[in-house]
Amino acid sequence: MGNITVLTPTYNRGKLLQKLYKSLCDQNYKNFAWLIIDDGSTDDTRVYVEQMKKNADFPISYYKKENGGKHTALNYAYQFIKSPLTFIVDSDDYLTKDAISCVEKVYEEYKKEKDLCGFSFLRGKPDGGYLSTSGVPQNGIKESYVECRINRNIGGDMAEVWYTHCLKEYPFPEFKGEKFLGEDIVWVKMSEKYKMRFFNRIIYISDYLEDGLTNNRRKHNIKSPNGCVARAEVFLDSKSNIKTKIKAMLQYQIYGRFAKKSIKDLYDQFKCKSLFVIMYLPASILYWKWKKVDFL
């Protein structure tokens, strides 16, 4: 067992796992494990994984659970991870050849810093270029997720490698019947206690699919409103900038209505009454506009 577990939650992506598998086979440093959590697939994912396990020169573990959404698959996975680091890599993405060795090098350099929850690198596009909107300083930076990603306005996805004990300390909240939850609800919570090391280096390539979570975010949000309300509350309670809190208040009220919560309850439950009142009219307009669209 090395220092890194690559964690891949998957749902009906058996064939697509081959691309990630090949990138793991091509790593120039092989002291890692691959953990696959099957979130209730109905395809031949198990068959594909068994074939990969026969030929891999690194350990592969596979567990299947009832379908509940990516965040529940991540929560389920933590019980099986013994390594200090967990690298979450989606089933439709893949890694650069030096990704694991790069993470290992950074871990050895900074593992004595006890205020870290993880390390963040850049994601690239298959045809070149960055996935995030702006650059981390060339020599890196140490800040919390909120300070770097939100208040510096660095949008887009990055490649985060988390300390496993922090993931276990901050599991994703789960709501009955809801299968989608923005992962940053946890990353923002971690910012209350921990910082991260951010690096200007691509180690992860993203290839978003038309049926993926990213391309269907609002549809998934409307079907999982309680999680969206919880996420908005976390952002509103954070040290995020005012622009982010305005957006969070809109989401708090809009998805609160989709969750069948009354305006009075939403108002009473939140302490920032003035921002609630200011955003009431635009939130109402957006709610009725979204409700008319046939997302459901």
Side-chain angles (χ1 to χ4, degrees):
M1 174 65 68
N3 292 318
I4 304 164
T5 296
V6 176
L7 169 58
T8 301
T10 186
Y11 175 70
N12 286 346
R13 297 284 179 85
K15 291 182 179 179
L16 291 174
L17 284 169
Q18 295 289 333
K19 183 165 55 177
L20 173 54
Y21 169 67
K22 184 179 184 305
S23 77
L24 294 176
C25 290
D26 291 341
Q27 292 299 305
N28 58 17
Y29 181 79
K30 291 292 181 65
N31 195 15
F32 67 92
W34 189 21
L35 171 60
I36 301 168
I37 302 297
D38 186 338
D39 189 38
S41 295
T42 57
D43 66 358
D44 293 329
T45 294
R46 183 187 294 274
V47 175
Y48 287 109
V49 172
E50 290 302 323
Q51 292 174 346
M52 291 185 289
K53 288 174 70 173
K54 291 178 181 178
N55 300 314
D57 57 353
F58 52 89
I60 300 176
S61 300
Y62 171 88
Y63 298 92
K64 187 171 184 177
K65 60 178 285 295
E66 183 179 351
N67 180 252
K70 180 181 177 181
H71 64 295
T72 68
L74 294 174
N75 282 345
Y76 179 78
Y78 301 154
Q79 63 186 303
F80 305 112
I81 302 176
K82 308 303 179 185
S83 62
L85 298 178
T86 299
F87 190 178
I88 301 171
V89 183
D90 292 341
S91 56
D92 52 342
D93 298 333
Y94 56 99
L95 301 180
T96 61
K97 292 183 178 182
D98 61 348
I100 300 298
S101 60
C102 181
V103 173
E104 182 74 23
K105 181 179 179 181
V106 165
Y107 171 65
E108 290 298 331
E109 183 173 355
Y110 296 107
K111 64 182 180 182
K112 292 183 179 180
E113 295 184 356
K114 301 304 181 183
D115 60 342
L116 294 180
C117 61
F119 309 101
S120 183
F121 303 85
L122 299 181
R123 293 198 196 191
K125 300 176 182 178
D127 56 353
Y130 297 103
L131 201 66
S132 56
T133 56
S134 61
V136 172
Q138 195 62 42
N139 59 346
I141 193 171
K142 181 181 179 180
E143 290 184 334
S144 72
Y145 183 92
V146 168
E147 290 169 331
C148 185
R149 295 299 309 281
I150 297 175
N151 293 344
R152 287 182 181 272
N153 196 33
I154 300 180
D157 288 334
M158 288 189 176
E160 290 99 0
V161 181
W162 304 99
Y163 275 99
T164 304
H165 73 86
C166 292
L167 293 174
K168 293 179 178 180
E169 182 181 353
Y170 291 90
F172 291 95
E174 298 184 18
F175 300 90
K176 186 176 181 180
E178 296 192 2
K179 297 183 179 182
F180 179 77
L181 183 68
E183 293 171 49
D184 52 3
I185 185 175
V186 166
W187 317 152
V188 171
K189 284 290 291 182
M190 283 187 188
S191 291
E192 299 172 2
K193 182 177 179 180
Y194 296 106
K195 295 185 181 295
M196 299 184 73
R197 284 276 181 184
F198 294 84
F199 300 94
N200 192 314
R201 181 168 180 174
I202 293 176
I203 65 169
Y204 184 124
I205 307 298
S206 288
D207 191 8
Y208 291 134
L209 303 176
E210 289 301 318
D211 65 339
L213 294 177
T214 302
N215 288 328
N216 296 280
R217 184 169 295 277
R218 186 178 296 171
K219 175 182 177 181
H220 291 299
N221 284 345
I222 291 174
K223 289 184 176 181
S224 301
N226 289 292
C228 292
V229 171
R231 177 179 176 273
E233 290 175 327
V234 167
F235 273 82
L236 288 166
D237 287 337
S238 72
K239 296 180 181 179
S240 300
N241 56 42
I242 186 61
K243 179 181 177 181
T244 299
K245 291 195 174 186
I246 288 172
K247 182 178 179 180
M249 178 55 76
L250 285 170
Q251 294 172 335
Y252 175 75
Q253 295 191 42
I254 293 169
Y255 293 119
R257 294 190 186 191
F258 278 113
K260 310 300 183 183
K261 298 178 184 291
S262 70
I263 293 299
K264 182 180 184 305
D265 286 344
L266 290 169
Y267 179 80
D268 290 343
Q269 290 171 11
F270 197 73
K271 59 187 177 183
C272 188
K273 308 297 186 186
S274 58
L275 184 58
F276 187 100
V277 172
I278 291 170
M279 301 313 298
Y280 174 75
L281 181 57
S284 299
I285 293 171
L286 285 173
Y287 167 71
W288 288 109
K289 180 179 179 181
W290 292 1
K291 191 174 182 180
K292 288 180 180 179
V293 179
D294 187 20
F295 284 114
L296 305 181

